DNA sequence: CTGAAAGCGCTAACAA
DNA sequence: TTGTTAGCGCTTTCAG
């Protein structure tokens, strides 16, 4: 079908149009437009006036082609449908814009292949750097996908400092503390519904729970892995309850999983938290809305996005000050524990 | 501070590198890479081999500078924190990628100024087209911001066909039907919590309610306007209940507002739906999770994003077949009505 | 079937 | 303070 392309709207004024209108050379116009010094007040005024009249807008392609910066950065998230990530994106975008960068958001739908693909596309688009959230790719391939980028920041995944800055949410410590608290309250038979096997931060969460359990001579009673969304939580909880060995606590990879699990637990006639306590991670909006409201590990998501973006831009600009940041999640007790 | 820029990673191979390696001219290499005819099988093979060896990736800036397409499209949303929009973005991104386009997502945080600004940035980035969701800009400025783009699709906002394709969710009809149903069930004193005054689709929702009310000789008992998020819902519901004239139904601009309102209604000791029925719009995830689960007007969000993107690409490519689509929302009764 | 030349819009480097 | 030259990587003529 592919008919003729719609003709582009009358191409906007170029820098030489502006220069001509102001009666100066392109170079002078360029200097004025970029606020570089070296132009008499008078010339400057003339150029600026011409630019306004012609409503001149610089062509970012030409700029990108020439200079070696695009003032574009990418962010890759596993699932934009999980409210956790839009909050991070929001923080990152604000920080990016404040520094003159445009943000390219890519959703990977939990598919490692897509992740590699997207990182390559971003490279083609000549982004100045990338933020990757919860990368699912295995170490070697992730490194290969990240390395060609000028700068990178990984959220929730460790990586050699040389290749990427990292921001980790210390769920291990956080969940260990939370687990201890639950043990003190008399909980004994813990189950963990983890995320995908490929998730580094899922393993950290598990480790935190085990840490606390071990201190008290306890073991993890049951365990399931699942895709980190609502449906995954439902499935995993079903399997869990079928294997049912009188668990009294379910700790979940994230809030979505926890909320899915809660619905199954209710369905099976258990009372939360009396029979079974439930704990999530992330503190997304729905967590406070379910019934009873979900206890969870709160993470400052917008701050996280903001910090990641600042770190990324620092790295792009050769300031590798902060190589790694750790954020402590905070236990918020609501009605499920 | 602004230290020296981190040196860009060794620039990837260019088309002439590939050409050189294959022993042909740049032009031939270009033709092969773009699958344009006119190259002997043998030459073709050699070029392709060279490209692979050098892991050649075309420079999208050079392409964009020359040709007049960037294969990038933008989508503008008022608030990425509202789960309604990530779903639309998801559908749109999938459709875009399937056709070789990259999607640039911009969050406007409900600020008309930002909306204009973002549309200009997108123009600078030479996107081939834009999708704008729930534009808040007033008609004239919106038109000015949209018109310079080669193609545009507006979601939930009417516009001259020449300037943009439109996708409307017919909340007017949908809410009229829902309102009629509620009237049949004996509800009489309706309140409406609308969105911002600048929201076209907010006015349409209101009109639908009024349509049904008028048919039955009823009037809207109370009305409030607010920012379309959870906090907005809380505020508006407070004001509503203070003016309290025994309303028995609250219809809300969207689910977030409805959920905010529900919390206030509970707080004040009313029982939902016995004392007051609540109806939302959009059917976002949290709607099914609150207690009681929220009745709402369901919208197929991913399909909407998909349809918008197809329409946009059609327009970019000069196929203005579908100029306007109307989507019917569907009443989902859960526990609040 | 293949190549040479020109130029998209911009800026870095060097003159003047 | 200002201008000239050259070239970023690609594709669109137009010739061979």
């Amino acid at each position: 079908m592919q008919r003729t392309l719609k003709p582009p709207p009358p191409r906007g004024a170029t820098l030489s149009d502006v220069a001509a209108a102001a009666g100066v050379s392109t170079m002078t116009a360029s200097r004025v437009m970029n606020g570089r010094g070296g132009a008499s007040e008078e010339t400057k005024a003339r150029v600026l006036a011409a630019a306004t009249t012609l409503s001149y807008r610089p062509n970012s392609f030409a700029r990108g082609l020439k200079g070696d910066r695009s003032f574009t950065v990418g962010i890759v998230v596993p699932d934009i449908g999980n409210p956790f990530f839009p909050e991070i994106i929001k923080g990152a975008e604000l920080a990016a814009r404040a520094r003159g960068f445009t943000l390219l958001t890519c959703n990977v739908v939990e598919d490692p292949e897509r992740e590699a693909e997207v990182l390559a596309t971003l490279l083609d688009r000549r982004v100045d750097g990338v933020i990757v959230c919860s990368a699912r790719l295995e170490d070697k391939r992730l490194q290969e996908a990240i390395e060609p980028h000028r700068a990178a920041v990984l959220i929730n995944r460790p990586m050699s400092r040389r290749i990427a800055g990292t921001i980790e949410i210390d769920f291990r410590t956080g969940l260990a503390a939370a687990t201890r608290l639950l043990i003190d309250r008399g909980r004994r038979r813990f189950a963990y519904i983890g995320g995908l096997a490929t998730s580094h931060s899922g393993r950290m969460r598990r480790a935190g729970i085990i840490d606390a359990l071990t201190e008290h001579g306890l073991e993890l009673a049951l365990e399931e892995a699942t895709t980190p969304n609502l449906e995954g939580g439902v499935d995993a909880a079903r399997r869990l309850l079928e294997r049912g060995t009188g668990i009294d606590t379910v700790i979940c990879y994230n809030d979505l999983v926890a909320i899915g699990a809660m619905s199954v637990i209710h369905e099976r006639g258990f009372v939360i938290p009396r029979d079974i306590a439930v704990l999530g991670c992330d503190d997304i909006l729905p967590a406070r809305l379910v019934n009873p409201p979900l206890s969870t590990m709160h993470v400052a998501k917008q701050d996280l996005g903001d910090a990641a973006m600042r770190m990324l831009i620092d790295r792009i600009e050769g300031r590798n000050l902060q190589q790694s940041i750790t954020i402590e999640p905070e236990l918020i007790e609501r009605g499920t524990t």
Side-chain angles (χ1 to χ4, degrees), chain A:
Chain A
M1 257 257 88
Q2 193 83 347
R3 213 82 64 68
T4 34
L5 193 62
K6 186 177 173 188
R11 273 184 176 294
T14 79
L15 193 58
S16 25
D17 295 337
V18 174
V24 297
S25 77
T26 344
M27 207 42 238
T28 304
S30 167
R31 279 190 277 252
V32 172
M33 294 316 291
N34 292 304
R36 291 239 204 310
S40 68
E41 281 309 315
E42 203 240 306
T43 321
K44 197 162 145 188
R46 273 218 319 282
V47 172
L48 255 17
T52 315
T53 317
L54 302 175
S55 50
Y56 166 73
R57 311 243 58 186
N59 181 323
S60 55
F61 283 150
R63 250 200 207 155
L65 184 54
K66 185 65 190 165
D68 53 9
R69 304 182 72 176
S70 62
F71 288 98
T72 305
V73 291
I75 185 166
V76 180
V77 299
D79 177 14
I80 201 179
N82 178 348
F84 183 64
F85 296 107
E87 293 297 318
I88 292 183
I89 293 171
K90 203 171 187 172
E93 195 190 11
L94 252 26
R97 180 170 44 251
R99 290 165 186 74
F101 284 79
T102 301
L103 184 61
L104 215 45
T105 303
C106 298
N107 184 26
V108 162
V109 286
E110 302 285 357
D111 174 359
E113 285 317 309
R114 273 281 303 139
E115 201 167 287
E117 198 183 311
V118 148
L119 251 5
T121 307
L122 252 15
L123 204 57
D124 292 350
R125 298 279 166 184
R126 298 301 193 266
V127 294
D128 292 334
V130 288
I131 294 174
V132 185
C133 298
S134 312
R136 307 300 190 206
L137 234 32
E138 38 124 352
D139 276 341
K140 186 158 167 296
R141 293 195 59 203
L142 178 61
Q143 212 179 105
E144 284 170 9
I146 289 293
E147 203 154 16
H149 283 275
R150 172 187 285 149
V153 168
L154 260 35
I155 293 182
N156 260 336
R157 174 98 178 222
M159 175 63 56
S160 144
R161 301 286 128 97
R162 197 178 45 75
I163 297 180
T166 56
I167 302 202
E168 293 217 56
I169 306 169
D170 186 7
F171 279 120
R172 180 168 189 166
T173 305
L175 276 180
T179 305
R180 264 177 227 119
L181 188 76
L182 292 169
I183 295 173
D184 287 348
R185 299 240 185 93
R187 304 280 168 181
R188 287 296 175 272
R189 300 195 53 79
F190 287 75
Y192 173 56
I193 302 183
L196 301 174
T198 50
S199 163
H200 164 77
S201 75
R203 288 192 296 274
M204 289 301 103
R205 283 165 228 214
R206 182 176 184 281
I209 301 169
I210 305 272
D211 289 348
L213 251 26
T214 311
E215 289 166 21
H216 292 260
L218 294 171
E219 287 190 341
L220 197 54
L222 278 178
E223 191 164 0
E224 285 288 343
T226 186
T227 49
N229 55 32
L230 212 64
E231 293 72 34
V234 170
D235 293 348
R238 286 224 168 94
R239 277 177 273 139
L240 210 63
L241 261 30
E242 248 132 52
R243 297 168 55 194
T245 13
I247 52 172
D248 58 22
T249 309
V250 180
I251 300 182
C252 299
Y253 178 79
N254 67 16
D255 289 345
L256 248 22
V257 169
I259 292 170
M262 282 175 69
S263 69
V264 174
I265 294 172
H266 281 139
E267 205 175 276
R268 294 285 206 269
F270 295 101
V271 175
I272 299 174
R274 196 197 60 193
D275 306 326
I276 301 182
V278 178
L279 181 64
C281 287
D282 293 352
D283 195 19
I284 58 177
L285 171 65
R288 354 179 213 144
L289 304 176
V290 291
N291 179 40
L294 178 65
S295 299
T296 185
M297 304 302 300
H298 172 84
V299 176
K301 294 164 282 297
Q302 289 200 35
D303 292 348
L304 176 57
D306 179 84
M309 186 54 72
R310 300 164 95 112
M311 188 188 272
L312 182 67
I313 294 177
D314 278 349
R315 291 181 72 97
I316 290 171
E317 294 177 345
R319 293 178 249 112
N320 292 15
L321 327 168
Q322 285 269 36
Q323 308 255 1
S324 149
I325 294 181
T326 301
I327 290 185
E328 296 302 330
E330 183 198 354
L331 173 64
I332 308 249
E333 290 214 79
R334 291 199 267 246
T336 60
T337 49

